[in-house]
Amino acid sequence: MDIILWAVLIVVFVIVEFCTVQLVSIWLAVASLITLICSLCFDSLSLIGPLAIFGITSAILVTTTLPLIKKRLHQKHHAHLYKYKLFLCFEFQKQIE
């Protein structure tokens, strides 16, 4: 039963990630995959064990990768603004001539 639950959660989190593209649900899907693998390897885990594995791995994945992703997106945003400003300056200069 646990294996089916984690497999369904992987699919749900991947679908949510495709719909939102916020890069949070994908880490929950990865945490679900890790929990699924642990559930397959250790049959003796009770309900608390997989929930703890999922909670810990998702917290680690989100807290370690989200700041890096936000920093990368912030850099791309500034590069895009810089290109846009150059385009506006070029267009303004062209209109003056």
Side-chain angles (χ1 to χ4, degrees):
M1 181 68 181
D2 286 348
I3 296 168
I4 296 170
L5 171 71
W6 295 114
V8 168
L9 283 176
I10 291 169
V11 172
V12 168
F13 288 135
V14 168
I15 290 171
V16 169
E17 183 62 38
F18 279 127
C19 294
T20 62
V21 193
Q22 294 295 318
L23 296 174
V24 174
S25 301
I26 196 68
W27 302 124
L28 297 176
V30 171
S32 296
L33 178 65
I34 292 169
T35 307
L36 174 73
I37 292 169
C38 289
S39 292
L40 287 171
C41 292
F42 307 107
D43 284 338
S44 62
L45 290 176
S46 65
L47 181 63
I48 302 298
L51 289 177
I53 293 169
F54 175 75
I56 292 169
T57 54
S58 61
I60 290 171
L61 288 170
V62 170
T63 56
T64 56
T65 58
L66 206 55
L68 297 173
I69 291 169
K70 283 187 177 183
K71 181 180 176 184
R72 179 79 173 138
L73 290 176
H74 186 68
Q75 289 172 350
K76 283 185 178 181
H77 179 69
H78 282 297
H80 177 68
L81 286 177
Y82 180 72
K83 289 178 186 177
Y84 183 70
K85 286 179 183 179
L86 285 177
F87 172 75
L88 287 179
C89 289
F90 178 72
E91 288 295 315
F92 181 72
Q93 186 179 19
K94 204 162 88 172
Q95 287 177 358
I96 292 176
E97 294 173 353

